[in-house]
Amino acid sequence: MSTSDLTLAGETLPAANPETILSDADLAALRRAVQVLERPSLAARLSSAAGAPLDIIGRSLPAPVTEAVGRSTEVAMRGAMRVALATLPRNEIAPAEGTDIGTVTAKAESRLSRLLGSGDTKHKAMAALSGAVGGAFGLATLAVELPVSTTLMLRSIAEIAREQGEDLETPEGALACVQVFALGGRVADETGARSALTESGYFAVRAALAKTLSEAARYAGSKTLLDQSAPALIRFTAQVAARFGLVVSQKVAAQAVPILGAFGGAAVNTAFMNHFQSTARAHFTIRRLERTYGAVAVRAAYEIEKAALGPA
């Protein structure tokens, strides 16, 4: 049975072509999202920023560096999780009898402002600054620079999510922002080879994360005070960190180019930010379309557009 067929009372009935369900504008938005999600361009961006060929960017890092990247990535993801969960409404701010509703609303907006920033340009400038530090001082600053740049990226991702109609005061919406770091981890080396973590398509990655994301969202939605060491949150964070670490390794390799220096480090971090902003915009476009047309119709249309791209 094709993805555009429906089964009803034992009969297979042809459904409408999913491309005819979406409006022209939404179909164009979907097409752009598929291009971003199925043709990750981070390696090319990093090569351009570092002024180095793909074989340098895609090279294997020494074991000590890989271990440092792993540790820093885990710390960065734990920090991102804390920031994301800080936006969720907690029971203690529920309006009591006689409470000014304006005060409660202001508290909610204050929470949200910790995650949302003032635009892509500001986030890119701050990311460039942190990258300049990393480029000037090398791997020694990774443990400090990566959590900072990750938090900046999360703020930008959250702003993009809000623009696409995402409710960031729900556990699902907040954690979908963190999920972007895993979706942006689909990279390939110069030969086109992919690791076991990166060989799947966009929907396959979402499916792989679905269970742990659902568990984390249920936990976050049921607790007044969140325990960051809760197994549900740890599992989700670890899954995201594993994929995010692959991209961080490429970033570190680019910043390790001997002639790079502070200026090149800033360019690499800007490319890094651009990559995740593009991924976030594509991801939350898909989620917006799913809310409008339903997941089945969007998935079917997505597969058609993906097939039209041809082999990777």
Side-chain angles (χ1 to χ4, degrees), residues 104-168:
V104 176
T105 301
K107 289 180 179 178
E109 290 175 348
S110 176
R111 273 198 320 277
L112 196 60
S113 68
R114 289 199 296 269
L115 185 56
L116 297 180
S118 59
D120 286 358
T121 302
K122 177 182 177 181
H123 296 139
K124 287 176 183 176
M126 295 177 71
L129 178 60
S130 68
V133 174
F137 297 100
L139 185 64
T141 64
L142 182 65
V144 175
E145 184 269 325
L146 184 61
V148 170
S149 61
T150 300
T151 299
L152 291 173
M153 285 191 292
L154 182 63
R155 291 168 63 92
S156 183
I157 289 167
E159 188 166 340
I160 290 167
R162 183 179 63 176
E163 291 170 357
Q164 293 292 333
E166 201 75 34
D167 185 357
L168 298 183

Short mmCIF file of all heavy atoms in Angstrom, two decimals, residues 104-168:
data_model
loop_
_atom_site.label_atom_id
_atom_site.label_comp_id
_atom_site.label_asym_id
_atom_site.label_seq_id
_atom_site.Cartn_x
_atom_site.Cartn_y
_atom_site.Cartn_z
N VAL A 104 0.70 37.43 37.48
CA VAL A 104 0.98 36.06 37.08
C VAL A 104 1.46 36.01 35.64
O VAL A 104 2.42 35.32 35.30
CB VAL A 104 -0.27 35.17 37.25
CG1 VAL A 104 -0.01 33.76 36.75
CG2 VAL A 104 -0.71 35.16 38.71
N THR A 105 0.82 36.76 34.76
CA THR A 105 1.22 36.80 33.36
C THR A 105 2.63 37.34 33.21
O THR A 105 3.43 36.83 32.43
CB THR A 105 0.24 37.68 32.55
OG1 THR A 105 -1.07 37.14 32.68
CG2 THR A 105 0.64 37.73 31.08
N ALA A 106 2.94 38.36 33.97
CA ALA A 106 4.28 38.95 33.92
C ALA A 106 5.33 37.93 34.34
O ALA A 106 6.42 37.87 33.76
CB ALA A 106 4.36 40.18 34.83
N LYS A 107 5.02 37.10 35.36
CA LYS A 107 5.96 36.07 35.79
C LYS A 107 6.20 35.07 34.68
O LYS A 107 7.32 34.63 34.44
CB LYS A 107 5.44 35.37 37.04
CG LYS A 107 5.48 36.22 38.30
CD LYS A 107 4.95 35.44 39.49
CE LYS A 107 4.99 36.29 40.77
NZ LYS A 107 4.44 35.54 41.92
N ALA A 108 5.12 34.68 34.01
CA ALA A 108 5.26 33.73 32.90
C ALA A 108 6.11 34.31 31.79
O ALA A 108 6.98 33.65 31.23
CB ALA A 108 3.89 33.33 32.37
N GLU A 109 5.87 35.59 31.47
CA GLU A 109 6.65 36.22 30.42
C GLU A 109 8.11 36.36 30.83
O GLU A 109 9.01 36.25 29.99
CB GLU A 109 6.05 37.59 30.08
CG GLU A 109 4.69 37.48 29.39
CD GLU A 109 4.05 38.82 29.16
OE1 GLU A 109 4.56 39.80 29.76
OE2 GLU A 109 3.05 38.90 28.43
N SER A 110 8.35 36.59 32.12
CA SER A 110 9.72 36.69 32.60
C SER A 110 10.44 35.36 32.44
O SER A 110 11.60 35.32 32.04
CB SER A 110 9.72 37.13 34.07
OG SER A 110 11.03 37.15 34.58
N ARG A 111 9.74 34.27 32.74
CA ARG A 111 10.33 32.94 32.55
C ARG A 111 10.69 32.73 31.09
O ARG A 111 11.77 32.28 30.74
CB ARG A 111 9.34 31.84 32.96
CG ARG A 111 9.36 31.46 34.40
CD ARG A 111 8.69 30.11 34.57
NE ARG A 111 7.51 29.98 33.74
CZ ARG A 111 6.30 30.42 34.05
NH1 ARG A 111 6.12 31.06 35.18
NH2 ARG A 111 5.28 30.24 33.24
N LEU A 112 9.76 33.07 30.21
CA LEU A 112 9.96 32.85 28.79
C LEU A 112 11.10 33.70 28.26
O LEU A 112 11.85 33.27 27.39
CB LEU A 112 8.66 33.16 28.05
CG LEU A 112 8.54 32.65 26.60
CD1 LEU A 112 8.66 31.13 26.59
CD2 LEU A 112 7.23 33.10 26.00
N SER A 113 11.26 34.88 28.78
CA SER A 113 12.30 35.78 28.28
C SER A 113 13.69 35.24 28.55
O SER A 113 14.66 35.63 27.89
CB SER A 113 12.15 37.17 28.90
OG SER A 113 12.45 37.15 30.27
N ARG A 114 13.82 34.35 29.54
CA ARG A 114 15.12 33.75 29.79
C ARG A 114 15.55 32.86 28.64
O ARG A 114 16.72 32.60 28.44
CB ARG A 114 15.10 32.96 31.10
CG ARG A 114 15.04 33.81 32.34
CD ARG A 114 15.48 33.00 33.55
NE ARG A 114 14.59 31.88 33.81
CZ ARG A 114 13.53 31.95 34.62
NH1 ARG A 114 13.22 33.09 35.20
NH2 ARG A 114 12.78 30.89 34.84
N LEU A 115 14.58 32.36 27.90
CA LEU A 115 14.88 31.48 26.77
C LEU A 115 14.88 32.24 25.45
O LEU A 115 15.69 31.99 24.58
CB LEU A 115 13.86 30.34 26.71
CG LEU A 115 14.09 29.25 25.65
CD1 LEU A 115 15.47 28.65 25.83
CD2 LEU A 115 13.03 28.19 25.77
N LEU A 116 13.99 33.19 25.29
CA LEU A 116 13.88 33.90 24.02
C LEU A 116 14.80 35.11 24.01
O LEU A 116 14.94 35.81 25.00
CB LEU A 116 12.44 34.36 23.79
CG LEU A 116 11.41 33.25 23.67
CD1 LEU A 116 10.03 33.86 23.45
CD2 LEU A 116 11.75 32.31 22.53
N GLY A 117 15.40 35.34 22.87
CA GLY A 117 16.28 36.49 22.72
C GLY A 117 15.64 37.54 21.85
O GLY A 117 14.45 37.58 21.65
N SER A 118 16.47 38.39 21.26
CA SER A 118 15.95 39.53 20.51
C SER A 118 16.23 39.43 19.02
O SER A 118 16.21 40.44 18.33
CB SER A 118 16.56 40.83 21.05
OG SER A 118 17.96 40.78 20.96
N GLY A 119 16.51 38.24 18.52
CA GLY A 119 16.68 38.12 17.09
C GLY A 119 17.93 37.36 16.69
O GLY A 119 18.88 37.23 17.46
N ASP A 120 17.89 36.86 15.43
CA ASP A 120 19.00 36.06 14.91
C ASP A 120 20.31 36.82 14.92
O ASP A 120 21.36 36.26 15.21
CB ASP A 120 18.68 35.61 13.48
CG ASP A 120 17.64 34.50 13.45
OD1 ASP A 120 17.21 34.08 14.55
OD2 ASP A 120 17.26 34.08 12.35
N THR A 121 20.28 38.10 14.57
CA THR A 121 21.52 38.87 14.44
C THR A 121 22.26 38.94 15.76
O THR A 121 23.48 38.74 15.82
CB THR A 121 21.22 40.29 13.94
OG1 THR A 121 20.55 40.20 12.68
CG2 THR A 121 22.49 41.08 13.77
N LYS A 122 21.52 39.21 16.84
CA LYS A 122 22.16 39.29 18.15
C LYS A 122 22.75 37.95 18.54
O LYS A 122 23.88 37.87 19.04
CB LYS A 122 21.14 39.74 19.20
CG LYS A 122 21.70 39.79 20.62
CD LYS A 122 20.62 40.20 21.60
CE LYS A 122 21.16 40.18 23.04
NZ LYS A 122 20.11 40.56 24.02
N HIS A 123 22.01 36.88 18.30
CA HIS A 123 22.51 35.55 18.68
C HIS A 123 23.76 35.19 17.89
O HIS A 123 24.71 34.64 18.43
CB HIS A 123 21.41 34.51 18.44
CG HIS A 123 20.20 34.70 19.30
ND1 HIS A 123 18.93 34.54 18.83
CD2 HIS A 123 20.08 35.07 20.59
CE1 HIS A 123 18.07 34.78 19.81
NE2 HIS A 123 18.75 35.11 20.88
N LYS A 124 23.76 35.52 16.60
CA LYS A 124 24.93 35.22 15.78
C LYS A 124 26.14 36.02 16.23
O LYS A 124 27.26 35.51 16.25
CB LYS A 124 24.62 35.50 14.31
CG LYS A 124 23.68 34.49 13.67
CD LYS A 124 23.34 34.88 12.25
CE LYS A 124 22.33 33.90 11.65
NZ LYS A 124 21.90 34.30 10.30
N ALA A 125 25.92 37.27 16.61
CA ALA A 125 27.03 38.11 17.07
C ALA A 125 27.63 37.55 18.35
O ALA A 125 28.86 37.48 18.50
CB ALA A 125 26.54 39.54 17.28
N MET A 126 26.77 37.12 19.27
CA MET A 126 27.27 36.57 20.53
C MET A 126 27.96 35.23 20.31
O MET A 126 28.97 34.92 20.94
CB MET A 126 26.12 36.45 21.53
CG MET A 126 25.53 37.79 21.93
SD MET A 126 24.10 37.65 23.04
CE MET A 126 24.91 37.10 24.54
N ALA A 127 27.40 34.42 19.39
CA ALA A 127 28.04 33.14 19.07
C ALA A 127 29.40 33.37 18.42
O ALA A 127 30.36 32.64 18.69
CB ALA A 127 27.13 32.32 18.14
N ALA A 128 29.48 34.38 17.56
CA ALA A 128 30.75 34.69 16.92
C ALA A 128 31.79 35.08 17.97
O ALA A 128 32.97 34.70 17.88
CB ALA A 128 30.57 35.82 15.90
N LEU A 129 31.37 35.85 18.97
CA LEU A 129 32.29 36.27 20.03
C LEU A 129 32.81 35.07 20.81
O LEU A 129 34.01 34.95 21.06
CB LEU A 129 31.58 37.24 20.98
CG LEU A 129 32.41 37.74 22.18
CD1 LEU A 129 33.65 38.47 21.68
CD2 LEU A 129 31.56 38.64 23.07
N SER A 130 31.91 34.15 21.17
CA SER A 130 32.36 32.96 21.89
C SER A 130 33.25 32.10 21.01
O SER A 130 34.21 31.49 21.48
CB SER A 130 31.15 32.14 22.39
OG SER A 130 30.44 31.57 21.31
N GLY A 131 32.97 32.07 19.70
CA GLY A 131 33.82 31.32 18.78
C GLY A 131 35.19 31.95 18.64
O GLY A 131 36.19 31.25 18.47
N ALA A 132 35.25 33.27 18.69
CA ALA A 132 36.54 33.96 18.61
C ALA A 132 37.42 33.57 19.79
O ALA A 132 38.63 33.35 19.63
CB ALA A 132 36.32 35.47 18.59
N VAL A 133 36.82 33.44 20.95
CA VAL A 133 37.57 33.00 22.13
C VAL A 133 38.09 31.58 21.92
O VAL A 133 39.25 31.27 22.19
CB VAL A 133 36.69 33.08 23.39
CG1 VAL A 133 37.42 32.48 24.59
CG2 VAL A 133 36.30 34.53 23.68
N GLY A 134 37.20 30.71 21.41
CA GLY A 134 37.61 29.34 21.16
C GLY A 134 38.71 29.25 20.11
O GLY A 134 39.64 28.45 20.24
N GLY A 135 38.60 30.08 19.05
CA GLY A 135 39.62 30.05 18.02
C GLY A 135 40.97 30.57 18.51
O GLY A 135 42.01 30.11 18.08
N ALA A 136 40.93 31.51 19.43
CA ALA A 136 42.17 32.11 19.94
C ALA A 136 42.87 31.20 20.94
O ALA A 136 44.10 31.12 20.97
CB ALA A 136 41.87 33.46 20.58
N PHE A 137 42.10 30.49 21.75
CA PHE A 137 42.70 29.71 22.83
C PHE A 137 42.57 28.20 22.66
O PHE A 137 43.09 27.44 23.47
CB PHE A 137 42.09 30.14 24.17
CG PHE A 137 42.37 31.57 24.51
CD1 PHE A 137 41.41 32.55 24.29
CD2 PHE A 137 43.60 31.96 25.01
CE1 PHE A 137 41.67 33.88 24.60
CE2 PHE A 137 43.86 33.28 25.31
CZ PHE A 137 42.89 34.25 25.10
N GLY A 138 41.85 27.77 21.63
CA GLY A 138 41.84 26.36 21.28
C GLY A 138 40.96 25.50 22.16
O GLY A 138 40.02 25.96 22.81
N LEU A 139 41.30 24.20 22.18
CA LEU A 139 40.49 23.19 22.84
C LEU A 139 40.31 23.46 24.33
O LEU A 139 39.30 23.06 24.92
CB LEU A 139 41.12 21.81 22.63
CG LEU A 139 40.33 20.60 23.14
CD1 LEU A 139 39.01 20.46 22.38
CD2 LEU A 139 41.17 19.34 23.02
N ALA A 140 41.26 24.15 24.94
CA ALA A 140 41.19 24.39 26.38
C ALA A 140 39.93 25.15 26.78
O ALA A 140 39.47 25.03 27.92
CB ALA A 140 42.43 25.16 26.84
N THR A 141 39.38 25.91 25.86
CA THR A 141 38.19 26.71 26.18
C THR A 141 36.88 26.00 25.85
O THR A 141 35.82 26.55 26.11
CB THR A 141 38.22 28.05 25.41
OG1 THR A 141 38.14 27.78 24.00
CG2 THR A 141 39.49 28.83 25.71
N LEU A 142 36.95 24.79 25.27
CA LEU A 142 35.74 24.12 24.80
C LEU A 142 34.73 23.92 25.92
O LEU A 142 33.52 24.11 25.72
CB LEU A 142 36.09 22.77 24.16
CG LEU A 142 34.91 21.98 23.59
CD1 LEU A 142 34.30 22.73 22.41
CD2 LEU A 142 35.36 20.59 23.16
N ALA A 143 35.20 23.53 27.09
CA ALA A 143 34.29 23.25 28.20
C ALA A 143 33.50 24.48 28.62
O ALA A 143 32.40 24.37 29.18
CB ALA A 143 35.07 22.70 29.39
N VAL A 144 34.05 25.67 28.36
CA VAL A 144 33.35 26.92 28.69
C VAL A 144 32.60 27.45 27.48
O VAL A 144 31.44 27.85 27.58
CB VAL A 144 34.36 27.97 29.20
CG1 VAL A 144 33.65 29.31 29.42
CG2 VAL A 144 35.03 27.49 30.47
N GLU A 145 33.26 27.43 26.33
CA GLU A 145 32.68 28.03 25.12
C GLU A 145 31.47 27.26 24.60
O GLU A 145 30.47 27.87 24.19
CB GLU A 145 33.76 28.11 24.03
CG GLU A 145 33.32 28.80 22.75
CD GLU A 145 32.74 27.83 21.73
OE1 GLU A 145 33.23 26.69 21.65
OE2 GLU A 145 31.79 28.21 21.03
N LEU A 146 31.51 25.92 24.63
CA LEU A 146 30.41 25.15 24.05
C LEU A 146 29.10 25.33 24.81
O LEU A 146 28.06 25.55 24.16
CB LEU A 146 30.79 23.66 23.97
CG LEU A 146 29.74 22.77 23.30
CD1 LEU A 146 29.51 23.20 21.85
CD2 LEU A 146 30.16 21.31 23.36
N PRO A 147 29.08 25.26 26.14
CA PRO A 147 27.80 25.53 26.83
C PRO A 147 27.26 26.92 26.55
O PRO A 147 26.04 27.10 26.42
CB PRO A 147 28.16 25.36 28.31
CG PRO A 147 29.31 24.40 28.31
CD PRO A 147 30.10 24.78 27.08
N VAL A 148 28.15 27.90 26.42
CA VAL A 148 27.69 29.27 26.13
C VAL A 148 27.07 29.34 24.73
O VAL A 148 25.96 29.84 24.55
CB VAL A 148 28.87 30.27 26.23
CG1 VAL A 148 28.45 31.64 25.70
CG2 VAL A 148 29.34 30.38 27.68
N SER A 149 27.78 28.80 23.73
CA SER A 149 27.26 28.87 22.36
C SER A 149 26.01 28.02 22.21
O SER A 149 25.09 28.38 21.46
CB SER A 149 28.33 28.44 21.36
OG SER A 149 28.75 27.10 21.59
N THR A 150 25.93 26.90 22.95
CA THR A 150 24.74 26.05 22.88
C THR A 150 23.52 26.76 23.45
O THR A 150 22.42 26.70 22.89
CB THR A 150 24.98 24.73 23.63
OG1 THR A 150 26.08 24.04 23.04
CG2 THR A 150 23.75 23.82 23.56
N THR A 151 23.71 27.46 24.56
CA THR A 151 22.61 28.22 25.15
C THR A 151 22.16 29.34 24.22
O THR A 151 20.95 29.58 24.06
CB THR A 151 23.03 28.80 26.51
OG1 THR A 151 23.36 27.73 27.40
CG2 THR A 151 21.89 29.62 27.13
N LEU A 152 23.11 30.00 23.58
CA LEU A 152 22.75 31.04 22.61
C LEU A 152 21.95 30.44 21.45
O LEU A 152 20.96 31.02 21.00
CB LEU A 152 24.02 31.71 22.08
CG LEU A 152 24.80 32.58 23.07
CD1 LEU A 152 26.12 33.03 22.44
CD2 LEU A 152 23.98 33.79 23.48
N MET A 153 22.38 29.28 20.98
CA MET A 153 21.65 28.63 19.90
C MET A 153 20.25 28.23 20.35
O MET A 153 19.28 28.36 19.59
CB MET A 153 22.42 27.41 19.40
CG MET A 153 23.62 27.76 18.56
SD MET A 153 24.35 26.34 17.70
CE MET A 153 25.00 25.42 19.08
N LEU A 154 20.13 27.76 21.57
CA LEU A 154 18.82 27.36 22.08
C LEU A 154 17.88 28.56 22.14
O LEU A 154 16.69 28.44 21.82
CB LEU A 154 18.96 26.72 23.46
CG LEU A 154 17.66 26.21 24.08
CD1 LEU A 154 17.05 25.08 23.24
CD2 LEU A 154 17.89 25.73 25.51
N ARG A 155 18.39 29.70 22.54
CA ARG A 155 17.56 30.91 22.57
C ARG A 155 17.06 31.24 21.16
O ARG A 155 15.89 31.58 20.96
CB ARG A 155 18.38 32.09 23.13
CG ARG A 155 18.70 31.98 24.61
CD ARG A 155 19.74 33.00 25.04
NE ARG A 155 19.27 34.37 24.86
CZ ARG A 155 18.66 35.08 25.81
NH1 ARG A 155 18.42 34.55 26.98
NH2 ARG A 155 18.29 36.32 25.57
N SER A 156 17.95 31.12 20.18
CA SER A 156 17.55 31.40 18.81
C SER A 156 16.56 30.36 18.29
O SER A 156 15.59 30.70 17.61
CB SER A 156 18.80 31.42 17.90
OG SER A 156 18.46 31.76 16.58
N ILE A 157 16.80 29.10 18.62
CA ILE A 157 15.88 28.02 18.23
C ILE A 157 14.50 28.27 18.81
O ILE A 157 13.48 28.11 18.13
CB ILE A 157 16.43 26.66 18.70
CG1 ILE A 157 17.66 26.26 17.86
CG2 ILE A 157 15.36 25.57 18.63
CD1 ILE A 157 18.45 25.11 18.43
N ALA A 158 14.45 28.69 20.07
CA ALA A 158 13.16 28.93 20.73
C ALA A 158 12.41 30.08 20.06
O ALA A 158 11.19 30.04 19.92
CB ALA A 158 13.38 29.24 22.21
N GLU A 159 13.15 31.11 19.65
CA GLU A 159 12.50 32.23 18.98
C GLU A 159 11.90 31.79 17.64
O GLU A 159 10.79 32.18 17.27
CB GLU A 159 13.50 33.36 18.76
CG GLU A 159 12.85 34.63 18.24
CD GLU A 159 13.78 35.83 18.34
OE1 GLU A 159 14.73 35.79 19.13
OE2 GLU A 159 13.53 36.81 17.61
N ILE A 160 12.65 30.96 16.91
CA ILE A 160 12.14 30.41 15.65
C ILE A 160 10.91 29.57 15.90
O ILE A 160 9.91 29.64 15.16
CB ILE A 160 13.25 29.58 14.96
CG1 ILE A 160 14.36 30.51 14.45
CG2 ILE A 160 12.67 28.76 13.80
CD1 ILE A 160 15.62 29.79 14.04
N ALA A 161 10.95 28.75 16.97
CA ALA A 161 9.79 27.90 17.31
C ALA A 161 8.56 28.75 17.58
O ALA A 161 7.46 28.45 17.12
CB ALA A 161 10.12 27.04 18.53
N ARG A 162 8.74 29.83 18.33
CA ARG A 162 7.62 30.71 18.64
C ARG A 162 7.05 31.33 17.37
O ARG A 162 5.82 31.45 17.22
CB ARG A 162 8.06 31.80 19.61
CG ARG A 162 6.92 32.72 20.06
CD ARG A 162 7.40 33.78 21.03
NE ARG A 162 8.37 34.67 20.41
CZ ARG A 162 8.88 35.74 21.02
NH1 ARG A 162 8.54 36.00 22.26
NH2 ARG A 162 9.75 36.51 20.39
N GLU A 163 7.92 31.72 16.45
CA GLU A 163 7.46 32.30 15.18
C GLU A 163 6.61 31.33 14.38
O GLU A 163 5.74 31.73 13.62
CB GLU A 163 8.67 32.74 14.35
CG GLU A 163 9.43 33.93 14.92
CD GLU A 163 10.74 34.17 14.21
OE1 GLU A 163 11.09 33.36 13.32
OE2 GLU A 163 11.43 35.15 14.55
N GLN A 164 6.87 30.03 14.56
CA GLN A 164 6.11 29.00 13.84
C GLN A 164 4.90 28.51 14.65
O GLN A 164 4.29 27.51 14.30
CB GLN A 164 7.03 27.81 13.52
CG GLN A 164 8.12 28.13 12.51
CD GLN A 164 7.58 28.42 11.12
OE1 GLN A 164 6.52 27.94 10.74
NE2 GLN A 164 8.31 29.22 10.36
N GLY A 165 4.56 29.23 15.71
CA GLY A 165 3.35 28.93 16.47
C GLY A 165 3.51 27.88 17.55
O GLY A 165 2.51 27.38 18.08
N GLU A 166 4.75 27.55 17.92
CA GLU A 166 4.97 26.54 18.95
C GLU A 166 4.67 27.12 20.33
O GLU A 166 5.02 28.27 20.62
CB GLU A 166 6.42 26.07 18.90
CG GLU A 166 6.67 24.73 19.53
CD GLU A 166 6.18 23.57 18.69
OE1 GLU A 166 6.22 23.65 17.45
OE2 GLU A 166 5.74 22.56 19.29
N ASP A 167 4.02 26.35 21.16
CA ASP A 167 3.74 26.75 22.54
C ASP A 167 4.90 26.31 23.42
O ASP A 167 5.02 25.14 23.76
CB ASP A 167 2.43 26.12 23.03
CG ASP A 167 2.04 26.60 24.42
OD1 ASP A 167 2.82 27.37 25.03
OD2 ASP A 167 0.96 26.20 24.91
N LEU A 168 5.76 27.25 23.79
CA LEU A 168 6.95 26.92 24.56
C LEU A 168 6.69 26.74 26.04
O LEU A 168 7.61 26.44 26.79
CB LEU A 168 8.02 28.01 24.34
CG LEU A 168 8.51 28.17 22.90
CD1 LEU A 168 9.60 29.21 22.82
CD2 LEU A 168 8.97 26.84 22.33
#
